[in-house]
């Protein structure tokens, strides 16, 4: 069971792929101030970071369809007990609005949802025959 983990930080995004509890690989994508300067807010960086992570997966020959789960670390939310939570619309709304603070970790859930959607669409596309 492969688990893809995304950990966005203020000047980097760390990603890792696990098979069960064994880490298969980890990668850190670092950003300098000039790369992040065009973005008015942290939430505006989502597509930029998504594209950079997607390139890492492509370079490693990893298809999102191979993921059993995608995990996004962090995010400034209302006080809740520590643990693992399924991402929902309200969580994404709170993180995007920065209602509880602005930090790059607010992108973790949104990026995880996007890669989880890629995982599903890749599986759907590969299950349909394209014979002519």
């Amino acid at each position: 069971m492969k688990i893809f983990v995304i950990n966005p930080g203020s000047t980097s995004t760390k990603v890792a792929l696990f098979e069960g509890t064994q880490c298969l690989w980890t990668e850190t994508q670092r950003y300098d101030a000039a790369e992040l300067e065009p973005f008015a807010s942290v939430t505006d960086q989502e597509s930029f970071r998504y594209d950079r992570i997607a390139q890492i997966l492509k370079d490693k020959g990893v298809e999102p369809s191979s993921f059993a789960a995608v995990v996004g670390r962090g995010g400034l939310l209302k006080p809740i007990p520590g643990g693992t939570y399924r991402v929902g619309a309200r969580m994404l709304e709170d993180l995007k609005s920065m209602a509880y603070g602005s930090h790059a970790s607010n992108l973790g859930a949104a990026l995880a949802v996007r890669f989880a959607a890629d995982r599903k669409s890749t599986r759907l596309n590969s299950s349909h025959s394209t014979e002519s």
Side-chain angles (χ1 to χ4, degrees):
M1 170 172 66
K2 289 186 180 167
I3 302 168
F4 186 55
V5 180
I6 305 166
N7 179 3
S10 58
T11 60
S12 68
T13 302
K14 297 175 181 137
V15 294
L17 186 63
F18 287 81
E19 180 75 53
T21 59
Q22 179 185 0
C23 183
L24 301 177
W25 55 261
T26 184
E27 184 89 22
T28 300
Q29 180 71 62
R30 299 193 188 285
Y31 317 116
D32 61 38
E35 288 178 291
L36 299 178
E37 188 176 343
F39 302 104
S41 72
V42 167
T43 57
D44 294 337
Q45 298 174 19
E46 182 185 329
S47 289
F48 165 77
R49 290 183 187 236
Y50 173 87
D51 291 342
R52 299 292 288 270
I53 296 166
Q55 187 62 52
I56 291 169
L57 294 175
K58 183 178 178 184
D59 291 348
K60 292 190 173 291
V62 176
E63 290 291 331
S65 62
S66 69
F67 304 152
V70 182
V71 177
R73 179 205 164 259
L76 302 173
L77 298 167
K78 67 180 181 178
I80 54 177
T84 303
Y85 293 86
R86 184 177 301 258
V87 176
R90 184 161 180 202
M91 178 188 287
L92 289 171
E93 192 176 295
D94 284 351
L95 292 169
K96 187 172 185 170
S97 73
M98 297 181 279
Y100 300 97
S102 175
H103 187 269
S105 64
N106 285 13
L107 295 171
L111 291 167
V113 165
R114 288 182 69 177
F115 281 101
D118 289 350
R119 171 181 67 98
K120 291 176 185 174
S121 68
T122 304
R123 284 184 180 164
L124 288 174
N125 290 337
S126 64
S127 68
H128 291 84
S129 174
T130 56
E131 294 176 17
S132 346

